[in-house]
Amino acid sequence: MRIKRALQGTALTAFAALAWFGAGSVGAKASVSIKDVTFDETNVKLEISFSDPELMVGIAKVDKSKKAKVTVWDIYEPEAGSQAGKAEIDLSKLSVVKDNYIAITTNDMDKPLYIKLAATAKRNKITFHGNTAKISDFKADGKDVEEIEYRRTTDAWTNVSYKIADLNFSEYQYQGAVLYIRQSGVDELAKITNKDAIDAYKGIQTEEVDINTVKNAAAINVPVYVIGKLPGKEVKLNIAKQANGPSVPVDYKKGTVTINKNLEYRVIKTAGVATYEAISSKSVKEINDLLKASDSVSAASSGVIEVRKQAVTRGKGKSASKWTRVKIEEPKTLSFSQDTQDINTATVDKPVTISTTSGAIMEAGYKLNSKGTAVTHLVLTNKTSDNYEYYLGSSAPAAGDKDIKTIKNNKAVNIKQEDASGKNVYIRLAGDKRAKRWAGAWTQAGTGIKIPVIASK
């Protein structure tokens, strides 16, 4: 579609324009009616079909007395070789907060076709609550709006309207986003017929000459077709990015997770999601307890604990932070593969090897004094590339017991015979912070240790 622009004098209006453009073609008049107009309220444009060599479209200025004046006409022509054309009129530069009048004419029309786009609200106010990710209200000139359109910065507008009460923008809180919100445009062309429009809409006046300079000039009433509204003013909504998850102290050796105050947590198990709880004061959780059965989820051998900052509900609110995730697992018990795993089966002359299905873990034996006449130490040797821990007592220790000792990988420890005598020996795989490996469960490897006595020679 080719477009030309013609500038008219300030007193030149429809009839003067008609004379300036020349008389119409011989034969049937190629007038444009309201039926030839299509309003695309989403993309803010008009489409006008015409069969005249030229179509003239102008934005009319209408004063308080309803006098209309068009000073600049855009001229549309069909493509070369075509008898008919379709003009696309961009309306994006029009102010949406005032009434807009558009005049449409051809060389064969004795008066223009006038259409009106009614004004939208001048002031829009929106309230967004970060804690619920919802809009609580959207007011246009103080009046509540129930439906809106929205788009991201990179999106085009669509013709889809949403009920504010149904909208939830939580998906945009992960990374943050900028949204543009507006009232939808209104297309009322379907309600209009030529006959109804003449009777239904108040006319505006268009004049051949300026009535201020020529007395008794006749004013011609022209019907105005109110075809709807442009979309409302856009409101920019900045949705803040969720804060990163909080620091979660983890003790892989003790098997505990510390949750600081004003945080909340939940446990994800193979059987489902445990309801999250808010923490008002610092709390240390043992992973065994976290994996136990709860009211909503059965017990599990592994899972994930998720911790985040609570949402802020005061004022406009603030979303909860992202989740910090920590994998947790039930401490694994050592399963010995030999009948001779009890340390008491060791003798002065022959150490005993403690093995599992994956291989040897530890060797237990005894150390003699320099004369070889008495046992001085119980010797435990770690046969693996991982650290192990041991404990001497009547029962397995509690988490964090100070008497828990480490046997480093491929190293041995000497335990005084008086410290070992009569005690049970418990061992486990040590926790490893760097490898994010939880300590294993205590497994009894010796019962009531009896220190061998060397017979007199």
Side-chain angles (χ1 to χ4, degrees):
M1 181 61 61
R2 291 180 295 166
I3 306 173
K4 296 189 291 186
R5 177 158 287 188
L7 178 64
Q8 311 301 312
T10 55
L12 185 65
T13 54
F15 290 138
L18 181 62
W20 189 82
F21 287 123
S25 59
V26 178
K29 289 184 178 293
S31 299
V32 174
S33 73
I34 194 66
K35 293 180 180 179
D36 299 313
V37 178
T38 301
F39 177 34
D40 185 346
E41 75 277 16
T42 299
N43 296 303
V44 195
K45 64 182 180 180
L46 293 176
E47 288 187 353
I48 305 169
S49 299
F50 65 99
S51 56
D52 200 77
E54 292 182 323
L55 175 77
M56 282 70 73
V57 179
I59 306 301
K61 293 183 179 179
V62 180
D63 62 20
K64 293 181 179 179
S65 64
K66 295 295 181 181
K67 175 183 173 183
K69 182 182 292 186
V70 178
T71 57
V72 177
W73 294 86
D74 293 326
I75 304 171
Y76 297 81
E77 300 175 0
E79 298 294 341
S82 176
Q83 298 297 315
K86 181 173 283 187
E88 238 184 48
I89 317 300
D90 177 33
L91 307 175
S92 61
K93 290 293 185 180
L94 297 181
S95 171
V96 300
V97 298
K98 67 178 185 179
D99 293 336
N100 288 288
Y101 296 85
I102 301 168
I104 304 167
T105 191
T106 68
N107 292 330
D108 291 323
M109 295 170 64
D110 56 1
K111 58 179 179 289
L113 168 70
Y114 274 88
I115 62 176
K116 174 184 174 182
L117 293 164
T120 61
K122 293 182 179 180
R123 291 174 297 277
N124 293 321
K125 182 182 179 183
I126 191 169
T127 303
F128 176 73
H129 296 275
N131 58 310
T132 60
K134 295 178 73 69
I135 297 171
S136 64
D137 63 323
F138 181 28
K139 294 186 181 294
D141 285 344
K143 297 179 180 179
D144 289 329
V145 176
E146 293 185 357
E147 293 191 2
I148 59 170
E149 295 178 324
Y150 77 90
R151 66 175 179 87
R152 299 176 302 172
T153 304
T154 54
D155 293 338
W157 288 106
T158 66
N159 61 351
V160 180
S161 293
Y162 301 90
K163 288 186 177 181
I164 290 177
D166 296 338
L167 284 174
N168 184 297
F169 293 125
S170 57
E171 64 183 289
Y172 298 112
Q173 292 181 310
Y174 295 116
Q175 300 300 323
V178 175
L179 301 182
Y180 292 91
I181 295 174
R182 69 182 187 184
Q183 286 181 270
S184 301
V186 179
D187 179 5
E188 295 185 336
L189 272 170
K191 300 178 181 178
I192 298 173
T193 67
N194 282 338
K195 180 177 182 301
D196 292 340
I198 293 171
D199 297 334
Y201 298 104
K202 183 178 181 180
I204 60 176
Q205 294 180 344
T206 182
E207 293 143 2
E208 185 175 2
V209 292
D210 191 337
I211 61 174
N212 292 322
T213 58
V214 180
K215 292 182 179 180
N216 301 319
I220 302 172
N221 289 325
V222 180
V224 179
Y225 297 85
V226 182
I227 66 170
K229 291 183 179 182
L230 292 171
K233 290 177 67 177
E234 295 181 10
V235 179
K236 185 178 180 181
L237 174 60
N238 286 302
I239 297 181
K241 177 182 177 180
Q242 274 184 305
N244 290 335
S247 174
V248 179
V250 177
D251 193 322
Y252 287 94
K253 292 185 176 182
K254 295 180 180 179
T256 60
V257 175
T258 300
I259 305 171
N260 291 315
K261 65 179 181 179
N262 298 326
L263 301 180
E264 57 191 8
Y265 77 95
R266 65 185 183 186
V267 178
I268 315 298
K269 304 178 187 179
T270 53
V273 181
T275 304
Y276 62 79
E277 299 179 30
I279 299 296
S280 58
S281 59
K282 183 176 179 180
S283 179
V284 178
K285 303 289 185 182
E286 291 193 24
I287 56 173
N288 268 331
D289 292 336
L290 294 171
L291 290 169
K292 285 180 180 177
S294 63
D295 292 340
S296 55
V297 183
S298 59
S301 60
S302 63
V304 175
I305 180 172
E306 296 182 333
V307 183
R308 70 180 180 183
K309 296 177 184 176
Q310 294 175 272
V312 176
T313 57
R314 62 181 180 276
K316 293 183 179 180
K318 184 178 180 181
S319 69
S321 75
K322 297 184 179 187
W323 291 103
T324 297
R325 305 177 81 247
V326 178
K327 291 183 178 180
I328 55 178
E329 64 179 20
E330 186 181 61
K332 293 180 173 59
T333 301
L334 297 171
S335 179
F336 298 137
S337 60
Q338 296 181 2
D339 294 333
T340 57
Q341 79 273 14
D342 195 301
I343 291 173
N344 270 324
T345 61
T347 65
V348 172
D349 300 320
K350 186 179 179 181
V352 64
T353 300
I354 301 173
S355 300
T356 66
T357 53
S358 59
I361 293 177
M362 197 168 296
E363 184 178 87
Y366 293 101
K367 182 179 179 181
L368 304 179
N369 61 14
S370 59
K371 296 179 180 181
T373 58
V375 173
T376 59
H377 295 83
L378 170 65
V379 181
L380 299 179
T381 303
N382 185 347
K383 308 293 285 187
T384 75
S385 59
D386 295 314
N387 291 346
Y388 273 77
E389 294 175 323
Y390 74 93
Y391 176 79
L392 302 174
S394 58
S395 60
D401 194 303
K402 293 181 180 179
D403 291 327
I404 296 172
K405 307 296 182 182
T406 300
I407 313 175
K408 292 186 177 181
N409 62 86
N410 296 307
K411 300 289 184 181
V413 294
N414 296 320
I415 306 169
K416 292 180 180 180
Q417 59 88 10
E418 60 266 28
D419 293 333
S421 181
K423 304 287 181 59
N424 296 336
V425 180
Y426 300 89
I427 61 173
R428 71 175 181 183
L429 180 66
D432 189 328
K433 182 178 182 180
R434 180 174 295 179
K436 294 185 178 179
R437 184 186 67 207
W438 294 100
W442 289 107
T443 303
Q444 190 170 333
T447 306
I449 298 301
K450 300 177 179 62
I451 303 298
V453 177
I454 306 298
S456 299
K457 294 183 181 180

